[in-house]
Amino acid sequence: NTIGFNNLITNEQLRNRFIGNMWGQFEIIEGLSYKFDASVDITDTHDRFFNPPSNLGWYYVTEPAESQLRVTDSNRTRTILNNIITYSKQIGESKFDILVGMLDDTIDFSNHYSAGTGYQPGEISMLQYADQTASTEYKSIQTAKSYISRVDYSYDDRYFFQANFRQDRTSLFAPENNTGNYYSFSGGWKFSNEKFLKMPEWVNSAKLRGSYGILGNNTLGVYAYDSTVNPFANYSFGNPGVLAPGTTTVVVTDPDIKWEDTKQTDIGLDLAFLNNKIQFTADYFIKESSDLLLNLPLPFSTGSFPSSIVTNAGTIRNSGIEFTVGYSNNEHEFKYNINANIGTLKNEVLQLGDNNEPIYGAASKTEVGRSVGEIFAYQTDGIFQSQAEIAAAPTQIGAAPGDVRFKDVDGDGQITSDDRTYQGVTMPKYTYGFAFDSSYKNWDFSFAWIGSGGNKAFNGTYRALMLGQYVNSSTDILNYWTPTNTNTDIPRPVIGDPNANNRDSNRFVEDASYLKLQNVQIGYNIP
C-alpha cells in the first residue's frame, strides 16, 4: 500500500554539508616559497523514522505497542593541514626542484541513536512519549600525519631524475606499528636530443624511462587492532544457580597488523614522429603487494563475532604491458585526433597467511598460484532424463528426473563440495580503448569506445531469477524440463530444490568480455 505508507510513515533524512578551503603562499627569497593549505569538510545528518499505530492490510498491522520512533544524529568533520616548502634553481643546463612538507589529516566522527516504542494513535511522535526508549552513542577519531620530500633534477632536456621519500603515520595501527617509510626513484633519457646520435628527421622525440618505488596502504576500519570485550558476561560458577561476573572477548583482532607494502617497477618508451603528429608510448610494469590486509576465517571455537580476523596475510603480483598510440592532424580547417590503447594484466597470488590456506568467497576461491577471486563452482553435465540414469550416475542426493546432473570431478563416486572446479578468472586479461575527436568551423564531434576481455563473470542476478520457487522468475524458466520437454537445459521447478539445482555452477557463469560505446558528443559553438 504505497499511498498508505507515504501518508502514515515518516522517513526524513536531512543533510547539511560545508566544504571550505583557504591557502596562502609566500616567496621567502627568489626561488624559495612557503605554502600553507587548510581545508575542512563538515557533514551533519539528522535521520528520523516514525511508524505509527496503523492497519495497512493483513501483512502490515502495527499495534500501538509495536509503533516505533528512531532518531539518528551524526557529525563527520575532516580537516587537512598542509605545510609545503619548495625551492627551484637553475645553474647552467642543470635545473633543480626541491620540495619538503608536512601533511595532517584528521577525521572526527560522532553518532547518537535513540529509539522509542509504544505510541497511542494520535500521540505526539517524540521520544518522551514512548513507553520504552533506548539510546547508543559512538565516537571515533582517525588521524594521519605525513612528512614528504622530493628532488627533481634535469640536465639540458636530456637527462631526468627524481627521488621521493615520505614517512606516513596513522592511528589505524597500534603505536608500535603505525609508521611506514616509503620512497621512489625514477629516471629518463631523452636520447633524441643527444648530439652523438643521428636520429631520422621524421623522429621528433624519443625518450626511455624507468622507475622503482614502494608505497603503503592502510585501508581498514578504526580500532581494527584492538579487541572488543563484553564486561557483562555472567557465568555459572561454583554452586548451581550462582552467577559470577565475567568478561569475554567478542571480537578477536590482530594487535600486530601494520601497513601493506606495494613495490612497483616500470620501464617505458615515448616516441613522437612526423612533426609530433604521431605519439607512441609503451610500458612494462610489475607490481607486487605484500603484507596485504586480508579478512581470514577463524574457527568458531574462538567465540569471535564475526568469525574472521583482519591480518597481514597475503602477497599478490600484477604485471603487464601497455601501449598507447595517437595521431593528430590540426593543420587544416577539419581538425581531428585519434587515440587508441591496449593493456594486458597477469594477476597471481604468491602467499596467503602462514599456511597458504585458500580463501573462499561467493562462488569464488583465492589460492596461491592462481588469480584473485577466480570463479569456483560445480560443473554441470546435462539433465537427468530417467531414474535409471540417476542410478547409474555418481551418488547425487535428492536427484530426480528433470534435475541437473553434476560432474564427479574428483572421481570418488559421489557429488560433494570437493567436485567444485575453477570456471575462469574474473579480472580482465586485457583492456582496450579507442577515442576520436574532431572539429570543423563551429562544429565539434567526438566518441569513445572502451572494452576488456579474457575474463568470466558469475551472474548472481540470473541465478536469483532461476530459482523456480515462489518468487519472480526469468522467462527462460518457462522452458523447464518435463517428460514431454526433454530437449532443454532448464531443470524442473520444485519447491525446496532438493537436488540444489541452483547451487554455484557453470549454469550461471558468463563471458564477461565487452566492447562499449562510452559516449558520443556533437556540439556547435554559437558565434
Side-chain angles (χ1 to χ4, degrees):
N1 187 342
T2 305
I3 296 176
F5 275 108
N6 286 343
N7 280 277
L8 290 174
I9 294 178
T10 301
N11 193 3
E12 300 173 340
Q13 297 180 330
L14 306 179
R15 301 286 184 275
N16 290 319
R17 188 172 185 185
F18 171 82
I19 301 175
N21 174 263
M22 60 175 289
W23 62 272
Q25 184 165 315
F26 174 66
E27 187 173 26
I28 303 170
I29 58 175
E30 183 179 356
L32 180 64
S33 296
Y34 165 73
K35 181 179 180 181
F36 173 75
D37 189 312
S39 62
V40 63
D41 184 350
I42 303 173
T43 303
D44 289 311
T45 66
H46 175 77
D47 295 348
R48 194 172 189 275
F49 175 89
F50 179 62
N51 188 2
S54 57
N55 186 337
L56 293 178
W58 186 68
Y59 279 106
Y60 303 103
V61 177
T62 303
E63 300 292 344
E66 300 168 340
S67 57
Q68 187 179 59
L69 172 66
R70 301 195 300 264
V71 180
T72 303
D73 291 291
S74 65
N75 170 270
R76 183 184 186 272
T77 301
R78 182 175 187 178
T79 56
I80 300 176
L81 304 176
N82 298 331
N83 292 273
I84 305 292
I85 296 177
T86 57
Y87 179 69
S88 298
K89 183 70 174 178
Q90 183 156 352
I91 304 174
E93 299 296 335
S94 296
K95 183 180 179 181
F96 298 88
D97 288 290
I98 301 172
L99 178 148
V100 293
M102 181 177 69
L103 319 177
D104 278 286
D105 189 350
T106 302
I107 301 176
D108 195 325
F109 177 78
S110 62
N111 181 83
H112 179 88
Y113 168 83
S114 295
T117 57
Y119 293 87
Q120 297 300 319
E123 192 172 25
I124 298 175
S125 58
M126 295 182 66
L127 290 171
Q128 68 187 81
Y129 294 101
D131 292 342
Q132 296 182 8
T133 59
S135 63
T136 60
E137 189 175 24
Y138 174 82
K139 183 176 178 65
S140 67
I141 298 178
Q142 179 180 334
T143 62
K145 182 185 290 289
S146 298
Y147 300 94
I148 62 173
S149 60
R150 183 182 67 215
V151 176
D152 273 302
Y153 172 76
S154 63
Y155 179 78
D156 194 25
D157 197 29
R158 286 184 288 164
Y159 310 111
F160 307 87
F161 175 78
Q162 184 184 93
N164 291 275
F165 176 81
R166 64 182 294 150
Q167 183 181 88
D168 295 311
R169 298 179 182 177
T170 176
S171 63
L172 296 178
F173 303 121
E176 59 270 21
N177 298 317
N178 70 354
T179 302
N181 296 311
Y182 303 105
Y183 58 88
S184 68
F185 302 97
S186 61
W189 177 33
K190 203 170 184 179
F191 55 89
S192 58
N193 288 351
E194 290 288 1
K195 298 178 181 179
F196 64 87
L197 288 175
K198 299 297 182 181
M199 306 293 292
E201 290 186 1
W202 50 271
V203 177
N204 304 111
S205 177
K207 182 179 180 180
L208 185 66
R209 50 186 167 75
S211 64
Y212 173 81
I214 178 170
L215 275 176
N217 178 48
N218 62 348
T219 307
L220 76 166
V222 293
Y223 314 127
Y225 63 88
D226 226 349
S227 296
T228 304
V229 299
N230 175 12
F232 307 105
N234 297 330
Y235 189 79
S236 180
F237 187 77
N239 295 327
V242 177
L243 291 179
T247 298
T248 183
T249 300
V250 179
V251 178
V252 176
T253 59
D254 178 4
D256 297 322
I257 54 175
K258 58 182 180 179
W259 290 84
E260 292 181 0
D261 290 335
T262 297
K263 303 173 184 177
Q264 180 164 335
T265 301
D266 184 277
I267 299 173
L269 176 67
D270 300 327
L271 301 173
F273 310 112
L274 303 178
N275 293 324
N276 293 311
K277 287 184 176 180
I278 299 178
Q279 305 278 344
F280 174 80
T281 299
D283 280 278
Y284 169 76
F285 70 91
I286 181 167
K287 179 179 179 181
E288 185 172 304
S289 299
S290 58
D291 290 326
L292 290 176
L293 292 164
L294 299 178
N295 210 9
L296 298 183
L298 285 173
F300 290 106
S301 59
T302 61
S304 176
F305 182 81
S307 58
S308 59
I309 187 171
V310 177
T311 186
N312 299 95
T315 303
I316 294 174
R317 178 188 295 146
N318 291 293
S319 59
I321 55 175
E322 298 173 348
F323 297 100
T324 302
V325 62
Y327 177 77
S328 300
N329 191 331
N330 298 311
E331 297 177 352
H332 306 285
E333 200 167 22
F334 176 65
K335 302 176 175 60
Y336 61 92
N337 299 287
I338 302 173
N339 290 281
N341 65 80
I342 186 170
T344 67
L345 176 67
K346 181 182 179 182
N347 174 266
E348 183 181 3
V349 179
L350 304 180
Q351 184 248 335
L352 285 174
D354 295 332
N355 302 317
N356 286 329
E357 292 290 335
I359 298 176
Y360 293 88
S364 70
K365 182 180 179 181
T366 299
E367 185 178 22
V368 171
R370 306 190 72 98
S371 175
V372 170
E374 286 194 40
I375 297 176
F376 192 68
Y378 292 89
Q379 181 71 32
T380 60
D381 192 22
I383 301 288
F384 284 121
Q385 302 295 330
S386 65
Q387 196 64 43
E389 283 189 12
I390 297 173
T395 303
Q396 192 168 311
I397 298 174
D403 283 332
V404 177
R405 180 194 349 229
F406 296 99
K407 284 189 176 181
D408 181 18
V409 174
D410 65 358
D412 66 352
Q414 54 185 340
I415 305 301
T416 65
S417 60
D418 293 333
D419 292 308
R420 291 175 295 175
T421 185
Y422 287 101
Q423 303 283 349
V425 299
T426 54
M427 295 186 182
K429 293 183 179 179
Y430 56 90
T431 58
Y432 54 94
F434 177 82
F436 173 84
D437 67 86
S438 61
S439 64
Y440 177 73
K441 295 185 177 180
N442 289 334
W443 291 93
D444 60 82
F445 173 70
S446 64
F447 63 84
W449 294 81
I450 58 172
S452 68
N455 60 316
K456 300 292 183 68
F458 187 87
N459 194 334
T461 300
Y462 183 68
R463 178 173 69 173
L465 292 171
M466 295 297 289
L467 293 175
Q469 306 291 307
Y470 294 113
V471 294
N472 195 16
S473 300
S474 165
T475 54
D476 290 354
I477 207 170
L478 296 173
N479 190 31
Y480 61 85
W481 182 94
T482 69
T484 57
N485 182 38
T486 58
N487 187 25
T488 179
D489 59 354
I490 307 300
R492 63 182 182 125
V494 52
I495 298 303
D497 193 13
N499 185 57
N501 291 322
N502 283 282
R503 70 182 77 180
D504 297 341
S505 73
N506 65 306
R507 287 182 62 203
F508 315 109
V509 176
E510 301 174 354
D511 185 354
S513 302
Y514 75 93
L515 173 63
K516 176 183 179 181
L517 178 60
Q518 191 175 31
N519 62 68
V520 179
Q521 179 173 295
I522 187 169
Y524 181 77
N525 295 316
I526 300 175

